[in-house]
Amino acid sequence: MDGGGLTDGSLTDSYFSTSFIGVNGFGSPVETKYPLMQRMTNSSSSPSLLNDSAKPYTGHDPLTSPASSLFNDFGALNISQRRKTPNPTASEFIPKGGSTSRLSNVSQSNMSAFSQVFSHPSMGNPATAGLAPGMSLSAGSSPLHSPKITPHTSPAPRRRSHTPNPASYMVPSSASTPVNNPVSQTPSSGQVIQKETVGGTTYFYTDTTPAPLTGMVFPNYHIYPPTAPHVAYMQPKANAPSFFMADELRQELINRHLITMAQIDQADMPAVPAEVDSYHSLFPLEPLPPPNRIQKSSNFGYITSCYKAVNSKDDLPYCLRRIHGFRLVNTKCMVLVDMWKKIQHSNIVTLREVFTTKAFAEPSLVFAYDFHAGGETMMNRHFNDPNADAYFTKRKWGQHDGPLPRQHAGLLPESLIWAYIVQLSSALRTIHTAGLACRVMDPTKILITGKTRLRVNCVGVFDVLTFDNSQSNNPLALMAQYQQADLISLGKVVLALACNSLAGIQRENLQKAMELVTINYSSDLKNLILYLLTDQNRMRSVNDIMPMIGARFYTQLDAAQMRNDVIEEDLAKEVQNGRLFRLLAKLGTINERPEFQKDPTWSETGDRYLLKLFRDHLFHQVTEAGAPWIDLSHIISCLNKLDAGVPEKISLISRDEKSVLVVTYSDLKRCFENTFQELIAAANGQL
């Protein structure tokens, strides 16, 4: 239980300290070192932070060793497990009769290189701590923790472990330790021959993990770095440090999840069928048209409705666009549908399939698209204000014109319009290059997700609805004409955005709209609109407007990359949450279990008693005044040390305060894993 000798002098070298101090006002400042008993009595100190330093110990299971991958054992709780069989034809496979001297030579030659970085004077024989984390050469160590992974289908052990070796990311591939014996030299510099036994078969494969350089020291359990400087300077300074995802991004993701999981009560909406072809759980995304509706869609000429549905083949959500009362007569239009299905673009809603159905009590044509939760049309986002058309409304006698609209005062900022132009022109360029035409460049068919992300929706609908027998021999005969119409439609959308009103694209208001653009926006935007709306004597291309966009394309590219940096930083704040949750879930299955194997005292004896005291150490600390002591940094730091099995000592005090047990996190980890494996064996009927 002592966990090895740790001298007081070795505890003074601090390589890092925890970053989770004072989260949301909890906790207290970091304290470097306190005596053991003082920690338990002083209310102003952090009981968990007796020693925040991380030492390069390897006598206890390293963080990246297979023994530290706690979540692999938790995978046994899955309902369904598919066991992968070894592939004898893999390139890494070597028959059992192959020579093993090469492996032993490699293990001896590389031992010294790793021991220089990951050894400690107090750990005894360096040979036992010579291997870098995640690079075990024993035949049975790795398969015990990953019995369903074979060497040819799995990544290298460094990547297979949930805690990769940080040194491997900082060492060039050419860095390696010189080897005197040429027989033991690996095929390429910095590579090691590994072997793994799966199902009684031994596999030999090459580990491409480079050896760490001498002098590199890394923490032996998870810690949390501060925000990257290039992201920190982009965001406004907050009063308190933020260790979690931004509230705006979190709310947006939650809203998307809610919309994706939304369902209807079938009794309240009997007109919506329970199943359509291979789709089920239909949910209307827009108000359903009345049963006797005569008015048709202004875009397609048919009554349409839109649903979210789940495909039973892949259990993914899709958007179904239903064309009411349409009978598909000529199936040769499916040639165009197949062409649309091949288009993958970030600004186009991908068409997946088209089918006919009578599930709605009448013949209907259904288009299945990718579902983008939380999207709204450009019409709803920018053209839903009834007062926006006031500038183009004719004045009565005696009325005076109102103030001229300006940017940020009734008109959209020019940077936003250019962001839309770049995305829409990119979508048109991809469509036209594929030999197709968009034909739905309309504010009602352009989706906006997030702040400025555009996607062209309902592509391919017109190609099916307007297909006739004259196009049977050459379905692409009219595409050139349709592509020219796409450019005009793009010009109308841009002009409507510049005027912030659909009334500006009407023929009688064009001159007044262009005057508004000339006053408020740059000449490049004006010239682009004129080029798209003016008839030319030659065939135009979407590539012609690229010079007008000019360097603004780089502005949009820079904005997208900066947005990506911010989202990656938010992801980094949450990346360890799943691991900590699995750790707490496993701990919860052990603590306070009423009975196990007909033993009501099972959770109060043996290793389980230590885990119970550790649970109290995590969550039930009190101050000397008896008040609850709550510190998120204490909880996270202790869980990370338990996951890594560090040799740091802690004192666990019983609830009656009559017993004090001094243990290491390595001892706790061993008790934790053995106890959980006992539960797993009982759950699988192996006891």
Side-chain angles (χ1 to χ4, degrees), residues 52 101 127 138 207 472 484 554:
D52 272 345
S101 62
S138 61
D207 183 9
S472 300
Q484 298 300 306
Y554 298 105

Side-chain angles (χ1 to χ4, degrees), residues 19-341:
S19 300
F20 268 85
I21 297 299
V23 179
N24 293 336
F26 296 138
S28 56
V30 179
E31 301 181 18
T32 57
K33 181 180 178 184
Y34 276 84
L36 180 62
M37 298 308 296
Q38 181 182 357
R39 287 190 306 119
M40 304 304 297
T41 58
N42 190 350
S43 62
S44 64
S45 62
S46 299
S48 68
L49 303 179
L50 170 64
N51 177 25
D52 272 345
S53 61
K55 307 298 177 186
Y57 293 111
T58 56
H60 301 272
D61 294 332
L63 180 61
T64 54
S65 66
S68 69
S69 55
L70 298 179
F71 70 93
N72 287 337
D73 300 333
F74 199 68
L77 296 179
N78 293 338
I79 297 177
S80 174
Q81 296 183 1
R82 297 181 176 88
R83 185 177 183 87
K84 298 182 180 179
T85 58
N87 181 11
T89 61
S91 58
E92 299 87 350
F93 177 76
I94 300 177
K96 291 184 178 180
S99 173
T100 59
S101 62
R102 181 183 185 185
L103 175 64
S104 61
N105 291 333
V106 171
S107 63
Q108 295 293 333
S109 62
N110 290 275
M111 193 75 72
S112 60
F114 297 129
S115 63
Q116 295 175 5
V117 178
F118 295 94
S119 62
H120 191 273
S122 64
M123 301 314 295
N125 185 10
T128 60
L131 293 180
M135 300 185 68
S136 172
L137 293 179
S138 61
S141 61
S142 180
L144 289 177
H145 298 272
S146 55
K148 293 180 281 298
I149 299 180
T150 58
H152 90 280
T153 57
S154 63
R158 171 180 61 80
R159 300 195 305 270
R160 191 162 64 237
S161 173
H162 71 289
T163 51
N165 177 17
S168 61
Y169 296 104
M170 302 176 62
V171 182
S173 59
S174 60
S176 62
T177 302
V179 182
N180 296 327
N181 189 355
V183 178
S184 63
Q185 181 65 35
T186 54
S188 62
S189 179
Q191 295 180 351
V192 177
I193 299 297
Q194 297 276 25
K195 76 172 182 178
E196 184 172 349
T197 302
V198 180
T201 304
T202 302
Y203 297 87
F204 296 86
Y205 56 97
T206 301
D207 183 9
T208 58
T209 305
L213 292 179
T214 303
M216 288 188 177
V217 179
F218 298 95
N220 54 354
Y221 65 93
H222 284 284
I223 60 173
Y224 299 84
T227 303
H230 68 282
V231 177
Y233 283 96
M234 285 192 294
Q235 299 174 336
K237 299 297 181 181
N239 294 330
S242 175
F243 299 105
F244 304 100
M245 182 186 302
D247 292 338
E248 181 182 5
L249 179 59
R250 184 187 302 276
Q251 189 63 44
E252 181 180 348
L253 295 178
I254 290 176
N255 291 339
R256 293 183 185 180
H257 294 168
L258 290 176
I259 297 174
T260 302
M261 303 303 297
Q263 297 182 0
I264 63 171
D265 188 350
Q266 201 67 33
D268 295 337
M269 304 186 71
V272 179
E275 186 174 355
V276 176
D277 199 66
S278 59
Y279 298 87
H280 62 88
S281 303
L282 273 70
F283 181 84
L285 296 177
E286 56 188 26
L288 295 178
N292 299 325
R293 176 182 173 182
I294 301 178
Q295 183 181 3
K296 299 180 180 180
S297 171
S298 59
N299 296 95
F300 301 127
Y302 289 87
I303 301 174
T304 63
S305 55
C306 189
Y307 305 87
K308 173 192 71 70
V310 178
N311 192 336
S312 57
K313 297 178 181 178
D314 55 15
D315 292 331
L316 298 179
Y318 292 91
C319 176
L320 303 183
R321 172 67 62 175
R322 175 196 172 196
I323 310 298
H324 295 231
F326 183 84
R327 296 179 181 272
L328 186 62
V329 179
N330 196 337
T331 59
K332 293 184 179 181
C333 62
M334 291 301 167
V335 176
L336 299 176
V337 173
D338 293 336
M339 296 177 65
W340 277 112
K341 290 162 64 175

